[in-house]
Amino acid sequence: MLPKAYDPKLVEEKLAKIWQEKQVFKSKNDGGKNPYVIVIPPPNITGALHMGHGLNDTLQDVLIRYHRMKGFDANWVPGLDHGGIATQNVVEKTLAKEKKLTRHDLGREEFVNTVWQWYKDCGSAIYTQFEKMGWALDQSNIRFTMDEERAAAVYECFKRLWDKKYIYRGKRLINWCVRCTTALSDIEVEHEQRSGKLWHLRYKGADGGADIIIATTRPETIFADSAVAVNPHDEKYKNLVGKKVLIPLTQKAIPVIADEAVELGFGTGALKITPAHDAVDYEVGARHGLEIISVITDKGRMINVPAKYEGMDREVAKKQVVKDLEEAGLLVKEEKYDNAVSTCYRCGSAIEPFLSEQWFVKMDNLAAPAIKAVESGAVQMHPENWKTPLLNWLKNIQDWCISRQIWWGHRIPVWYCRQCSGTGLTFAADKQGRTQLVKVSFEDGAKPILSQTQPACPHCGGKDTVQDPDVLDTWFSSGLWPFSVFGWPKETPDLKHYYPTNMLVTGYEIIYLWVARMIMMGIEFMGKPPFPHVFLNGIVRDKTGKKMSKSLGNVVDPLDLIKKYGADATRFSLLIQAVPGKDIPYGEDSVVGARNFCNKIYNAARFIQMNAEGVEGKLALPAQNTELCDIWILSRYNKAVAAAAKAIEGYDMAAAANTLYHFLWGDFCDWYIELAKPRFTTQDKKRVAAILVNVLYGTLKALHPFMPFITEEIAAGFRKFTNESAEFLLRQSYPASDAKFINEAAEAQMALLQGIITQIRTVRAQFNVPPGAKIKVLFSTSDAREQAVINKYFAYITALAKADNLVCGMDLTRPAQSATAVFANTAIYIPLEGLIDFAKESARLAKELSIVETGIANRTRMLGNENFVKNAPAGQVAKAKEELSQMQLKASQIKEAIAGLK
């Protein structure tokens, strides 16, 4: 017998342990079943999982559990990502806070060992969270992007791309983070609007020529200017092209050039060209053969500038340069300006365009077959509207900068001979006095040797070789994930059986960082895309639509919710809002409703179990049913499980969750169980028990992918009534809909009765009719079929509406002092005399109406405020509109009630 109250903590801890011990989630590559495979987007080892992981992995769990129950060899591959920059940042901050040390204090080897220990500790915590969420992950074989098998895959990928000359080293203007001191690829850069200033500067004409005014947001870079550019069609400047102007605060003359990159009529019409510190200027400089001068170091400090600015931080230098320009009379004006600033996706620091020698992957040949796969439908996006953005990105792809100047990650498998590479290698002593390779320059003669382990020099035979200090972009190893997890480059049985996978579920924010690269790598190395379907989920935001962040104090921790409400409630609260393509506005109230749903299911199951205990033997569904509510519930159940399955197949988990929620709470608990209660004391007991048990058990199976713990716990107590032999729901079949039980006529009749009963209940509530009071009800209908149904099922109305005197006829007269309601073609009259105090009730309703009308006025005024509608979060505006609509409906209902009392 189920305990009186449901204790999610007790049940979840018990089942999580049992599932792992009995290897319930383990897939079996035995050739007996078709595979259904999803590789988990491996979470970074940067700390605890957040609500984004909670949503994404729960969506995957639904698909895996569903397909396992549909008979597939479902394999959800678990793993973790080393996280590159993100993990290094977290560990560095931890070292600074706890030990007052930097990574340089430790040295590279000891720091990397420290991060490996961090991985062990953090990974263990993440595995525990996997269990707490109830995710069907087999933890006996968890992959890590830096374990030996994945490292072998990374080397093989690098080698093959190297052999095809796709990997090269070049000096280019790249994105540089001065905080993380590393290069970033274009799609690792975020863009945000920041309030700043625009300074208008005077560049004096050389040799007495005309001055030119330019506007810039970066006055500290004037010392790197190589030219001033104007549009060739700008009449204002046509006589100045070819002349020279002086860089402010210096006597250096630079040419005035004409280039189409300058937008005609924009600003002053003249632009300072700084090739070393701006991507567009770099291209202009290349076209005109301009000098490239770097004035900012990789640490964000000034170099190659007048002595007074040398060594200054770039932001400090900006303020000093502006001050000096003003004193020199060269600052024409200063104005506020909202500027689009490029920032590091990990630390948020402003990106510095930086001329640097880096490792790149040539992408055009890799992108071409990926474009074909997406265009042909070999890879399909869900929602489909992401297809065009993905194709646009692939068609305009830039070469990928894959080197990172950090210590944690896959070290670039390239070595150099100290003797043969000469001045191409720069060494420096670290804090421990050890000599380290800090910079490599192919331009200055560095000769690369590709090798996974330390090689001898192929040029001179010497053994004094050193490895490239850079590591690979973390997305390099992540791009191999769908096949490296199965042992590639070895041709393993798992690789043959499980590749390509069936589905990728991930957030839309990493479609270019990860999804596109996996498609390209899969086709390049495996000959086919890694998955035919990509299911993109939205972002979990706070209730007002803001992104969750610690700085805003609006973060919701899934572990806190599990501790308070249980994993099933936490999961379901996310799934029921997971509308395809939409972000989720999430608050704790979301999980309260899901917790109540858990309790509703449990209490219903306990009631059924208590009343079915005396029934002997298995409880098979009756072959024939004549009672309307029995026919109706079986029809509704078969429709519900079919609709849920269809929604899951269409990746609409919100629709599936809503379908099962409304069926269980509404049709099953609120209606059928209430109608079934009195029948347990009649000869119908076994029939009713059989229907209740079978419908409940089938719905538990349908709900299992969404709420695995409570469904497993309840099902265990009902299995003896069924023919199921498997111990766990995951090893049983997903319920199939049986068309023979669908009965539209029965549903129509029940819909009429439900509508009428609901109207009677509404009247009772509106007029504060005492709950225990029996009421008289008259039904005046113009439809003979409705009259027949009402007359036939007076017992349903009597039981569920607490009415004991029912009259139904054609065109009956409304009694005096009676409330009126209408459903379909039937008017419902409820005499109120003797049930309520009319004067007191009129006063109460009038007071309530006044409160509601005040609310209507407030919301109307709020929504009439243009600033509110324009500037408030979309969720807040939508909430105000919904509240106004509900208040207007309530006011209408109160007015009708008041009229009914007269």
Side-chain angles (χ1 to χ4, degrees), residues 69-96:
M69 296 174 77
K70 293 290 281 187
F72 288 86
D73 174 23
N75 184 6
W76 187 13
V77 184
L80 299 174
D81 196 295
H82 65 280
I85 296 172
T87 300
Q88 178 160 314
N89 280 345
V90 170
V91 176
E92 284 193 75
K93 288 177 182 177
T94 302
L95 276 174

mmCIF file of all heavy atoms in Angstrom, residues 69-96:
data_model
loop_
_atom_site.group_PDB
_atom_site.id
_atom_site.type_symbol
_atom_site.label_atom_id
_atom_site.label_comp_id
_atom_site.label_asym_id
_atom_site.label_seq_id
_atom_site.Cartn_x
_atom_site.Cartn_y
_atom_site.Cartn_z
ATOM 1 N N MET A 69 11.015 2.913 -24.561
ATOM 2 C CA MET A 69 9.727 2.254 -24.347
ATOM 3 C C MET A 69 9.043 1.893 -25.670
ATOM 4 O O MET A 69 8.151 1.040 -25.706
ATOM 5 C CB MET A 69 8.815 3.156 -23.499
ATOM 6 C CG MET A 69 9.346 3.392 -22.087
ATOM 7 S SD MET A 69 8.360 4.579 -21.144
ATOM 8 C CE MET A 69 6.949 3.558 -20.701
ATOM 9 N N LYS A 70 9.490 2.533 -26.764
ATOM 10 C CA LYS A 70 8.948 2.208 -28.090
ATOM 11 C C LYS A 70 9.732 1.069 -28.750
ATOM 12 O O LYS A 70 9.479 0.727 -29.897
ATOM 13 C CB LYS A 70 8.984 3.446 -28.994
ATOM 14 C CG LYS A 70 8.044 4.562 -28.562
ATOM 15 C CD LYS A 70 6.577 4.232 -28.765
ATOM 16 C CE LYS A 70 6.155 4.408 -30.189
ATOM 17 N NZ LYS A 70 4.693 4.246 -30.377
ATOM 18 N N GLY A 71 10.690 0.495 -28.022
ATOM 19 C CA GLY A 71 11.379 -0.689 -28.525
ATOM 20 C C GLY A 71 12.733 -0.455 -29.140
ATOM 21 O O GLY A 71 13.332 -1.385 -29.706
ATOM 22 N N PHE A 72 13.288 0.767 -29.046
ATOM 23 C CA PHE A 72 14.594 1.054 -29.625
ATOM 24 C C PHE A 72 15.706 0.732 -28.626
ATOM 25 O O PHE A 72 15.495 0.718 -27.409
ATOM 26 C CB PHE A 72 14.695 2.536 -30.010
ATOM 27 C CG PHE A 72 13.876 2.919 -31.212
ATOM 28 C CD1 PHE A 72 12.538 3.263 -31.077
ATOM 29 C CD2 PHE A 72 14.450 2.954 -32.479
ATOM 30 C CE1 PHE A 72 11.777 3.628 -32.179
ATOM 31 C CE2 PHE A 72 13.700 3.319 -33.581
ATOM 32 C CZ PHE A 72 12.360 3.646 -33.436
ATOM 33 N N ASP A 73 16.898 0.501 -29.166
ATOM 34 C CA ASP A 73 18.103 0.410 -28.341
ATOM 35 C C ASP A 73 18.543 1.853 -28.092
ATOM 36 O O ASP A 73 19.407 2.390 -28.788
ATOM 37 C CB ASP A 73 19.194 -0.374 -29.072
ATOM 38 C CG ASP A 73 20.519 -0.362 -28.318
ATOM 39 O OD1 ASP A 73 20.496 -0.142 -27.092
ATOM 40 O OD2 ASP A 73 21.567 -0.566 -28.969
ATOM 41 N N ALA A 74 17.907 2.479 -27.120
ATOM 42 C CA ALA A 74 18.136 3.906 -26.867
ATOM 43 C C ALA A 74 19.446 4.102 -26.111
ATOM 44 O O ALA A 74 19.643 3.536 -25.036
ATOM 45 C CB ALA A 74 16.972 4.489 -26.077
ATOM 46 N N ASN A 75 20.309 4.922 -26.686
ATOM 47 C CA ASN A 75 21.630 5.168 -26.106
ATOM 48 C C ASN A 75 21.832 6.667 -25.967
ATOM 49 O O ASN A 75 21.993 7.388 -26.955
ATOM 50 C CB ASN A 75 22.717 4.569 -27.008
ATOM 51 C CG ASN A 75 24.104 4.703 -26.396
ATOM 52 O OD1 ASN A 75 24.258 5.144 -25.258
ATOM 53 N ND2 ASN A 75 25.113 4.319 -27.157
ATOM 54 N N TRP A 76 21.795 7.124 -24.721
ATOM 55 C CA TRP A 76 22.057 8.533 -24.435
ATOM 56 C C TRP A 76 23.473 8.609 -23.868
ATOM 57 O O TRP A 76 23.734 8.149 -22.764
ATOM 58 C CB TRP A 76 21.033 9.054 -23.440
ATOM 59 C CG TRP A 76 21.110 10.536 -23.189
ATOM 60 C CD1 TRP A 76 21.790 11.470 -23.902
ATOM 61 C CD2 TRP A 76 20.448 11.239 -22.134
ATOM 62 N NE1 TRP A 76 21.600 12.713 -23.380
ATOM 63 C CE2 TRP A 76 20.774 12.607 -22.289
ATOM 64 C CE3 TRP A 76 19.608 10.861 -21.087
ATOM 65 C CZ2 TRP A 76 20.293 13.589 -21.410
ATOM 66 C CZ3 TRP A 76 19.133 11.838 -20.222
ATOM 67 C CH2 TRP A 76 19.469 13.180 -20.388
ATOM 68 N N VAL A 77 24.380 9.162 -24.663
ATOM 69 C CA VAL A 77 25.800 9.115 -24.325
ATOM 70 C C VAL A 77 26.159 10.266 -23.384
ATOM 71 O O VAL A 77 26.038 11.433 -23.754
ATOM 72 C CB VAL A 77 26.671 9.197 -25.590
ATOM 73 C CG1 VAL A 77 28.144 9.052 -25.228
ATOM 74 C CG2 VAL A 77 26.252 8.119 -26.597
ATOM 75 N N PRO A 78 26.616 9.937 -22.158
ATOM 76 C CA PRO A 78 26.955 10.994 -21.201
ATOM 77 C C PRO A 78 28.386 11.467 -21.349
ATOM 78 O O PRO A 78 29.244 10.749 -21.888
ATOM 79 C CB PRO A 78 26.759 10.289 -19.853
ATOM 80 C CG PRO A 78 27.125 8.869 -20.133
ATOM 81 C CD PRO A 78 26.731 8.596 -21.570
ATOM 82 N N GLY A 79 28.656 12.660 -20.897
ATOM 83 C CA GLY A 79 30.024 13.153 -20.941
ATOM 84 C C GLY A 79 30.146 14.565 -20.423
ATOM 85 O O GLY A 79 29.145 15.243 -20.156
ATOM 86 N N LEU A 80 31.387 15.012 -20.293
ATOM 87 C CA LEU A 80 31.696 16.357 -19.808
ATOM 88 C C LEU A 80 32.699 17.010 -20.744
ATOM 89 O O LEU A 80 33.496 16.335 -21.399
ATOM 90 C CB LEU A 80 32.284 16.293 -18.398
ATOM 91 C CG LEU A 80 31.404 15.693 -17.297
ATOM 92 C CD1 LEU A 80 32.191 15.583 -16.002
ATOM 93 C CD2 LEU A 80 30.149 16.528 -17.093
ATOM 94 N N ASP A 81 32.651 18.331 -20.805
ATOM 95 C CA ASP A 81 33.569 19.101 -21.640
ATOM 96 C C ASP A 81 34.595 19.795 -20.745
ATOM 97 O O ASP A 81 34.254 20.296 -19.680
ATOM 98 C CB ASP A 81 32.796 20.140 -22.453
ATOM 99 C CG ASP A 81 33.612 20.707 -23.602
ATOM 100 O OD1 ASP A 81 34.624 21.367 -23.326
ATOM 101 O OD2 ASP A 81 33.229 20.490 -24.763
ATOM 102 N N HIS A 82 35.864 19.823 -21.203
ATOM 103 C CA HIS A 82 36.907 20.443 -20.375
ATOM 104 C C HIS A 82 36.737 21.948 -20.257
ATOM 105 O O HIS A 82 37.212 22.557 -19.309
ATOM 106 C CB HIS A 82 38.296 20.090 -20.918
ATOM 107 C CG HIS A 82 38.593 20.634 -22.271
ATOM 108 N ND1 HIS A 82 38.143 20.044 -23.434
ATOM 109 C CD2 HIS A 82 39.317 21.713 -22.670
ATOM 110 C CE1 HIS A 82 38.585 20.723 -24.477
ATOM 111 N NE2 HIS A 82 39.289 21.744 -24.036
ATOM 112 N N GLY A 83 36.054 22.576 -21.221
ATOM 113 C CA GLY A 83 35.635 23.963 -21.061
ATOM 114 C C GLY A 83 36.672 25.028 -21.315
ATOM 115 O O GLY A 83 36.368 26.205 -21.225
ATOM 116 N N GLY A 84 37.914 24.651 -21.618
ATOM 117 C CA GLY A 84 38.925 25.616 -22.032
ATOM 118 C C GLY A 84 38.995 26.875 -21.184
ATOM 119 O O GLY A 84 39.251 26.837 -19.980
ATOM 120 N N ILE A 85 38.763 28.012 -21.827
ATOM 121 C CA ILE A 85 38.870 29.318 -21.169
ATOM 122 C C ILE A 85 37.969 29.398 -19.946
ATOM 123 O O ILE A 85 38.382 29.886 -18.886
ATOM 124 C CB ILE A 85 38.490 30.448 -22.146
ATOM 125 C CG1 ILE A 85 39.474 30.499 -23.313
ATOM 126 C CG2 ILE A 85 38.474 31.792 -21.437
ATOM 127 C CD1 ILE A 85 39.064 31.458 -24.406
ATOM 128 N N ALA A 86 36.737 28.915 -20.080
ATOM 129 C CA ALA A 86 35.767 29.035 -18.986
ATOM 130 C C ALA A 86 36.267 28.338 -17.729
ATOM 131 O O ALA A 86 36.229 28.893 -16.630
ATOM 132 C CB ALA A 86 34.431 28.445 -19.422
ATOM 133 N N THR A 87 36.766 27.104 -17.884
ATOM 134 C CA THR A 87 37.249 26.355 -16.723
ATOM 135 C C THR A 87 38.516 26.986 -16.161
ATOM 136 O O THR A 87 38.665 27.113 -14.939
ATOM 137 C CB THR A 87 37.514 24.890 -17.113
ATOM 138 O OG1 THR A 87 36.292 24.315 -17.590
ATOM 139 C CG2 THR A 87 38.004 24.087 -15.924
ATOM 140 N N GLN A 88 39.428 27.387 -17.040
ATOM 141 C CA GLN A 88 40.658 28.017 -16.557
ATOM 142 C C GLN A 88 40.334 29.268 -15.744
ATOM 143 O O GLN A 88 40.935 29.505 -14.692
ATOM 144 C CB GLN A 88 41.581 28.367 -17.723
ATOM 145 C CG GLN A 88 42.861 29.064 -17.261
ATOM 146 C CD GLN A 88 43.977 28.992 -18.281
ATOM 147 O OE1 GLN A 88 44.262 27.949 -18.856
ATOM 148 N NE2 GLN A 88 44.643 30.111 -18.498
ATOM 149 N N ASN A 89 39.369 30.072 -16.214
ATOM 150 C CA ASN A 89 38.981 31.277 -15.477
ATOM 151 C C ASN A 89 38.463 30.939 -14.085
ATOM 152 O O ASN A 89 38.804 31.594 -13.097
ATOM 153 C CB ASN A 89 37.904 32.048 -16.247
ATOM 154 C CG ASN A 89 38.481 32.884 -17.370
ATOM 155 O OD1 ASN A 89 39.690 33.126 -17.419
ATOM 156 N ND2 ASN A 89 37.630 33.336 -18.277
ATOM 157 N N VAL A 90 37.607 29.914 -14.008
ATOM 158 C CA VAL A 90 37.030 29.533 -12.717
ATOM 159 C C VAL A 90 38.115 29.065 -11.758
ATOM 160 O O VAL A 90 38.143 29.449 -10.580
ATOM 161 C CB VAL A 90 35.966 28.420 -12.903
ATOM 162 C CG1 VAL A 90 35.552 27.847 -11.551
ATOM 163 C CG2 VAL A 90 34.745 28.979 -13.613
ATOM 164 N N VAL A 91 39.018 28.231 -12.245
ATOM 165 C CA VAL A 91 40.091 27.709 -11.386
ATOM 166 C C VAL A 91 41.034 28.831 -10.961
ATOM 167 O O VAL A 91 41.472 28.887 -9.801
ATOM 168 C CB VAL A 91 40.856 26.574 -12.086
ATOM 169 C CG1 VAL A 91 42.028 26.105 -11.230
ATOM 170 C CG2 VAL A 91 39.922 25.403 -12.372
ATOM 171 N N GLU A 92 41.345 29.742 -11.879
ATOM 172 C CA GLU A 92 42.216 30.863 -11.524
ATOM 173 C C GLU A 92 41.578 31.731 -10.436
ATOM 174 O O GLU A 92 42.250 32.162 -9.487
ATOM 175 C CB GLU A 92 42.516 31.711 -12.760
ATOM 176 C CG GLU A 92 43.525 31.085 -13.705
ATOM 177 C CD GLU A 92 44.035 32.069 -14.737
ATOM 178 O OE1 GLU A 92 44.851 32.926 -14.376
ATOM 179 O OE2 GLU A 92 43.613 31.974 -15.908
ATOM 180 N N LYS A 93 40.284 31.982 -10.566
ATOM 181 C CA LYS A 93 39.593 32.785 -9.550
ATOM 182 C C LYS A 93 39.582 32.067 -8.202
ATOM 183 O O LYS A 93 39.731 32.690 -7.151
ATOM 184 C CB LYS A 93 38.162 33.082 -10.005
ATOM 185 C CG LYS A 93 38.068 34.093 -11.138
ATOM 186 C CD LYS A 93 36.633 34.282 -11.596
ATOM 187 C CE LYS A 93 36.552 35.262 -12.760
ATOM 188 N NZ LYS A 93 35.166 35.414 -13.272
ATOM 189 N N THR A 94 39.393 30.737 -8.245
ATOM 190 C CA THR A 94 39.394 29.952 -7.009
ATOM 191 C C THR A 94 40.765 29.994 -6.340
ATOM 192 O O THR A 94 40.874 30.151 -5.122
ATOM 193 C CB THR A 94 38.995 28.491 -7.301
ATOM 194 O OG1 THR A 94 37.704 28.478 -7.921
ATOM 195 C CG2 THR A 94 38.921 27.682 -6.015
ATOM 196 N N LEU A 95 41.832 29.858 -7.150
ATOM 197 C CA LEU A 95 43.186 29.937 -6.614
ATOM 198 C C LEU A 95 43.450 31.292 -5.962
ATOM 199 O O LEU A 95 44.039 31.381 -4.875
ATOM 200 C CB LEU A 95 44.205 29.718 -7.738
ATOM 201 C CG LEU A 95 44.558 28.280 -8.118
ATOM 202 C CD1 LEU A 95 45.464 28.276 -9.341
ATOM 203 C CD2 LEU A 95 45.254 27.564 -6.960
ATOM 204 N N ALA A 96 43.014 32.351 -6.644
ATOM 205 C CA ALA A 96 43.247 33.701 -6.131
ATOM 206 C C ALA A 96 42.496 33.929 -4.816
ATOM 207 O O ALA A 96 43.019 34.514 -3.871
ATOM 208 C CB ALA A 96 42.824 34.728 -7.170
#
